[in-house]
Structure formats: structure tokens, C-alpha cells
Amino acid sequence: AQTVTQSQPEMSVQEAETVTLSCTYDTSESDYYLFWYKQPPSRQMILVIRQEAYKQQNATENRFSVNFQKAAKSFSLKISDSQLGDAAMYFCAIGGNQFYFGTGTSLTVIP
Amino acid sequence: DVKVTQSSRYLVKRTGEKVFLECVQDMDHENMFWYRQDPGLGLRLIYFSYDVKMKEKGDIPEGYSVSREKKERFSLILESASTNQTSMYLCASTSGETQYFGPGTRLLVL
């Protein structure tokens, strides 16, 4: 079985500052992918960033980057230069044939 | 762009009613999924399908069934709705390693 743990139910960040959302996971699979999804209030869940587990290089997508520590089974998301539009629920997920999601972190951006 | 649509954004039903939630994707994806999303519980998998007429139970299939008669359409059925099925229902499809989500259906069972 695969599990995903997000230990921070809520986080806040000042606009233009940097914030890191934590995620740990457990899997017995050797080949898997890790994801961060964003769900703005009353809006659709969208993919933020994806990391292939076999790649050592951390994925980056504009202001979003990950810190992937495979041995520690950790996959944190860093948001740089936070913007008001970043306010959302963020879900960490592990995927292969099936997907498993964490319970989410609600991010508030303070103007 | 991948497009996953769900038939309703909001639904209000009575206890005991049969409820159909429809999901359609336009990218010829083979895999489709139904989740329910509840505060503090994240997304929990109800059913998924790898192909037409194929279905697999997820983590919480009780009280639900599914139908996949065409590749692009995956329906979730609540045979006899109960108040504990009040939730947000999300449909997703995949081709390869990434899931794409529909906008969700918020179901209220009275």
C-alpha cells in the first residue's frame, strides 16, 4: 500500500515571500511519480508540478520547485515570490497505476 | 488542452434516490477515476476503470457502482443515496502518469 502524509493542514505566507509545503510518502514501488496539485477555492484541481522518482534532479516550474529526498521519502514544494493567486488547497500525491493523495494543506497568502 | 467535464457542478437529492454522476473526457484516455473529497480526508478513490466495460474497486466502493460503456464516459451511480454520501465528487482521467481532473460535483443528500 502507498500512503501520503501532509502534516501541515494550514500554512500562511506573506505576499512576495517564500513558503515550503511538506509531504512525506511511503511506497514499496520502485517506479513511481510524485505530484503537487493545486485546488483554488471552488475551482478545478490542476497539476502544479511532477517529479519522476528515478530522476535525481529536482523538478522546477517557474516559481514552483520541489525538494525530492528519495531516501527520506520526502517531497516538499517550495513556492517563491508568493502571489495572491497562489492561495489554494495543495495536495501531494504519489502515482503509478493508482494515485494516492495526502489530506491537503490550505495555503493563505497575506497581502 | 485536456478537458474533463462533469455533468453537474451542484446537485441536491433526497435520501433513497438513485443518483447518476457523469464524467466525460475528450483526450481518448484509457484510465478514468472517481474520487470523493471530504475536509481533512483528502481524496479517496471510489472506483476506477482501465478500459471500456472494465472497472475496479477503489478504497471506498460501498454504496457506489460505476458504468463505462464508452471510452470517453465514466459514470458514478449512487444506488440509494444516503446523507453520508454528501460530498464533493471528482472525476479524473489519465494517459501515462498524470491525472487530469474535472471541476467536481458537489452533492448534497437531504
Side-chain angles (χ1 to χ4, degrees), chain B residues 11-17 19 64 78 80-87 89 106-110:
Chain B
L11 270 181
V12 181
K13 295 293 181 181
R14 296 280 179 192
T15 301
E17 279 193 77
V19 181
Y64 304 94
L78 286 66
S80 177
S82 64
T83 54
N84 62 13
Q85 291 179 309
T86 290
S87 186
Y89 290 87
R106 190 169 292 281
L107 173 67
L108 172 62
V109 182
L110 300 175

Side-chain angles (χ1 to χ4, degrees), chain B residues 91-110:
Chain B
C91 175
S93 70
T94 63
S95 181
E97 69 284 346
T98 301
Q99 287 206 326
Y100 300 92
F101 285 87
T105 296
R106 190 169 292 281
L107 173 67
L108 172 62
V109 182
L110 300 175

Side-chain angles (χ1 to χ4, degrees), chain A residues 33 35 37 39 42-47 50 52 89 91 95-104, chain B residues 4 9-10 33 35 37 40-43 45 48 50 59 90 94 96-103:
Chain A
Y33 292 81
F35 306 86
Y37 282 89
Q39 187 180 41
S42 300
R43 293 182 62 189
Q44 199 154 343
M45 182 104 68
I46 58 173
L47 178 68
R50 181 184 74 193
E52 292 91 337
M89 183 73 82
F91 291 95
N97 287 329
Q98 291 188 46
F99 289 74
Y100 295 86
F101 290 80
T103 51
Chain B
V4 181
R9 290 300 303 272
Y10 301 95
F33 303 77
Y35 296 91
Q37 181 182 6
L41 297 178
L43 277 70
L45 181 63
F48 60 102
Y50 287 141
D59 298 319
L90 296 177
T94 63
E97 69 284 346
T98 301
Q99 287 206 326
Y100 300 92
F101 285 87

Side-chain angles (χ1 to χ4, degrees), chain A:
Chain A
Q2 300 181 83
T3 60
V4 179
T5 302
Q6 294 178 250
S7 58
Q8 307 154 314
E10 297 177 345
M11 293 278 286
S12 62
V13 62
Q14 206 77 33
E15 195 175 3
E17 297 294 310
T18 296
V19 65
T20 298
L21 308 184
S22 300
C23 174
T24 58
Y25 64 92
D26 193 18
T27 181
S28 56
E29 303 289 329
S30 57
D31 186 18
Y32 55 92
Y33 292 81
L34 294 161
F35 306 86
W36 279 99
Y37 282 89
K38 170 185 177 181
Q39 187 180 41
S42 300
R43 293 182 62 189
Q44 199 154 343
M45 182 104 68
I46 58 173
L47 178 68
V48 174
I49 199 165
R50 181 184 74 193
Q51 173 81 42
E52 292 91 337
Y54 62 86
K55 286 189 177 178
Q56 292 186 332
Q57 185 172 5
N58 289 324
T60 298
E61 195 73 40
N62 299 317
R63 298 182 295 105
F64 298 87
S65 61
V66 299
N67 182 7
F68 176 43
Q69 303 289 329
K70 191 171 185 179
K73 296 183 177 176
S74 171
F75 182 62
S76 60
L77 175 70
K78 185 172 82 171
I79 306 173
S80 304
D81 185 26
S82 297
Q83 301 175 358
L84 295 178
D86 295 333
M89 183 73 82
Y90 287 82
F91 291 95
C92 177
I94 184 170
N97 287 329
Q98 291 188 46
F99 289 74
Y100 295 86
F101 290 80
T103 51
T105 296
S106 178
L107 179 66
T108 300
V109 180
I110 303 165

Side-chain angles (χ1 to χ4, degrees), chain B residues 9-62:
Chain B
R9 290 300 303 272
Y10 301 95
L11 270 181
V12 181
K13 295 293 181 181
R14 296 280 179 192
T15 301
E17 279 193 77
K18 191 168 187 176
V19 181
F20 293 86
L21 304 183
E22 301 277 326
C23 175
V24 178
Q25 49 93 5
D26 67 354
M27 288 301 294
D28 202 35
H29 287 173
E30 292 179 349
N31 305 333
M32 297 187 75
F33 303 77
W34 274 107
Y35 296 91
R36 66 177 281 175
Q37 181 182 6
D38 300 289
L41 297 178
L43 277 70
R44 294 180 291 166
L45 181 63
I46 304 171
Y47 269 96
F48 60 102
S49 170
Y50 287 141
D51 203 349
V52 175
K53 296 193 185 295
M54 294 184 68
K55 59 184 179 183
E56 297 284 343
K57 292 180 180 179
D59 298 319
I60 52 164
E62 296 78 19

